[in-house]
Amino acid sequence: MTYTEIFEHLHQNPELSLEEFETTAFIRKILTEEGIEILDLPLKTGLVARIIGAKSGKKIAFRADMDALPLEEKTNLTYKSKNPGKMHACGHDIHMTVGIETAKILNQKKSELCGEVLFVFQPSEENGKGALEVLKTGVLDEAQAIFSLHSSPLLEVGQVGIKEGAITAAVDLFKIKIRGKGSHGAEPQNGRDPIAASATVISSLQTIVSRNISPTDQALVSVTHIQGGSNWNIIPEEVLLEGTIRTTNPETRAFVSQRLSEIARNTAAAFEEEASVEIENAPPCTNNDRELAGYAWELAQKCGLEPIRPEITMIGEDFAYYQEKLPGIMVWLGVGKTKPLHNPEFSANPRAIEIGAKYFSEMIQKAL
Ligand code: NI
């Protein structure tokens, strides 16, 4: 199968997080036909393939994520999604195809290869849980570095975005329950209105970024879900607020969570109500290794690509979990300027695959 056929097949058959069964089977089949070993690991979906070079050397990993998004595709592509309500709108189909093609290239060079390459086809990136599942198997315990890519709709084909440190943000989810006392809508004096308290909490949360964080630091707090009440003439007992915090360093991350809890609790208290706050940590911010970033930049120039220093984005990436354990780098691969990631009209130029596979096979080979 050509890389275009592989890409189109994956694009047409998107599967959601932890449901990547057909996708796993498809990749397994292609790699097995190439004579590439698939490791026996306790993963429900996803797989790790291994190529052992003829000479001894390092152990390097490459990671491609696999899952699609719950979106109805709105492109006019001939290979549009066949699965209603599901779409590869984050370029993970590009990532998998680059992974497969890179594995094919390196497998053909096995006799001159030093060390070992692990190809991690990781499920469930979109819910931020897949990387932890892979790490739990211990398969990367002895790996010395990990490489990955993400499609960039802001870069042309032939451009790569490379930067040390954070390129994506730490993600936290919060849930605030404000408990007051219900009453008749016409008798507010007999209740404690959680809707009035919520309005103040929401406005006050916006002062964390504007008043508590240095203007040169990066953070955001978004309230994205609010639920309370059932009728126009009843003051409810309780209001639920949900949202997300994004930060790019661990100190700010801890500080924003603490401020959010304080503001919610103390504001509710001022209304003689109670707020309970739950904060769930999703992936930390990515942390590209400085040395690997320099190496990737130089190699891009040698390969005739145009390296560009990208801005940080506040999206999350569970690749960050690998970078807590071993040095790693994630490179933005230009897929041509198109609609943003997670947009139903996102459409990557498949020509980027060939470029990506050549680049990563060089990167891995030289790193071994
Ligand atoms: Ni993605």
Side-chain angles (χ1 to χ4, degrees):
M1 264 177 128
T2 65
Y3 77 81
T4 327
E5 288 164 344
I6 295 173
F7 168 68
E8 291 183 0
H9 176 91
L10 289 168
H11 189 84
Q12 268 182 325
N13 297 281
E15 292 177 296
L16 301 182
S17 310
L18 292 177
E19 292 173 8
E20 308 92 338
F21 294 102
E22 297 297 325
T23 308
T24 305
F26 179 71
I27 297 173
R28 179 182 289 272
K29 183 165 173 278
I30 294 176
L31 296 178
T32 308
E33 277 169 9
E34 289 288 321
I36 298 171
E37 177 194 9
I38 312 285
L39 298 182
D40 188 17
L41 294 172
L43 289 172
K44 259 207 296 187
T45 54
L47 63 88
V48 179
R50 175 166 70 178
I51 297 174
I52 301 179
K55 303 169 214 165
S56 65
K58 292 185 182 157
K59 193 187 252 194
I60 304 284
F62 175 90
R63 175 271 209 170
D65 45 10
M66 304 166 70
D67 47 341
L69 288 158
L71 268 180
E72 189 67 45
E73 180 162 350
K74 287 200 183 122
T75 70
N76 296 317
L77 297 170
T78 50
Y79 52 91
K80 203 173 156 170
S81 168
K82 283 197 238 168
N83 296 345
K86 298 175 191 174
M87 177 190 178
H88 270 298
C90 197
H92 299 187
D93 44 359
I94 292 270
H95 310 166
M96 289 185 274
T97 317
V98 169
I100 293 168
E101 293 302 305
T102 304
K104 281 191 200 166
I105 295 173
L106 291 176
N107 192 47
Q108 276 153 19
K109 291 183 174 173
K110 225 169 161 178
S111 57
E112 34 179 306
L113 218 60
C114 309
E116 208 174 305
V117 195
L118 295 169
F119 286 90
V120 177
F121 289 90
Q122 181 210 301
S124 196
E125 189 283 322
E126 293 296 351
N127 68 10
K129 299 203 160 97
L132 292 173
E133 292 298 313
V134 172
L135 284 166
K136 241 196 271 168
T137 66
V139 71
L140 296 176
D141 284 357
E142 272 138 40
Q144 280 136 308
I146 184 160
F147 301 147
S148 192
L149 76 156
H150 204 291
S151 302
S152 172
L154 301 173
L155 300 177
E156 296 294 355
V157 174
Q159 294 181 317
V160 280
I162 300 167
K163 178 187 164 301
E164 75 290 345
I167 58 164
T168 60
V171 179
D172 296 306
L173 296 69
F174 64 82
K175 202 181 261 191
I176 302 172
K177 271 188 198 154
I178 298 177
R179 204 160 303 117
K181 185 171 166 238
S183 69
H184 195 295
E187 296 169 344
Q189 74 279 14
N190 295 332
R192 299 275 179 259
D193 185 356
I195 289 186
S198 299
T200 306
V201 168
I202 294 168
S203 315
S204 304
L205 291 181
Q206 294 311 322
T207 65
I208 300 175
V209 175
S210 69
R211 302 292 84 186
N212 300 138
I213 302 287
S214 160
T216 57
D217 197 355
Q218 291 117 343
L220 76 80
V221 176
S222 291
V223 176
T224 54
H225 177 204
I226 168 165
Q227 194 181 324
S230 58
N231 201 18
W232 67 277
N233 58 2
I234 304 168
I235 292 173
E237 288 282 326
E238 195 176 275
V239 169
L240 169 74
L241 307 175
E242 282 189 298
T244 184
I245 302 169
R246 305 289 165 108
T247 48
T248 58
N249 72 65
E251 296 77 41
T252 310
R253 186 182 201 188
F255 175 75
V256 174
S257 287
Q258 181 206 323
R259 274 305 285 154
L260 181 124
S261 302
E262 285 167 2
I263 289 176
R265 291 207 180 94
N266 295 334
T267 305
F271 283 80
E272 298 176 279
E273 296 174 32
E274 252 177 48
S276 64
V277 181
E278 276 171 51
I279 297 176
E280 188 190 321
N281 300 323
C285 56
T286 43
N287 182 19
N288 279 345
D289 182 78
R290 179 179 292 272
E291 219 173 289
L292 291 178
Y295 166 65
W297 185 282
E298 264 175 46
L299 185 71
Q301 287 173 322
K302 273 187 208 151
C303 293
L305 302 176
E306 186 192 347
I308 283 177
R309 196 181 158 83
E311 297 274 334
I312 274 191
T313 85
M314 299 310 266
I315 63 169
E317 220 333 310
D318 77 353
F319 184 67
Y321 287 124
Y322 301 109
Q323 292 180 317
E324 288 187 322
K325 307 268 181 222
L326 68 161
I329 182 158
M330 170 169 273
V331 172
W332 288 107
L333 179 74
V335 293
K337 291 190 177 150
T338 172
K339 288 281 159 58
L341 299 172
H342 294 211
N343 182 297
E345 288 175 61
F346 171 81
S347 138
N349 185 336
R351 270 201 309 123
I353 295 165
E354 210 178 355
I355 290 172
K358 231 183 242 166
Y359 179 56
F360 281 102
S361 57
E362 285 285 316
M363 196 188 287
I364 295 168
Q365 201 182 349
K366 295 219 166 83
L368 284 167

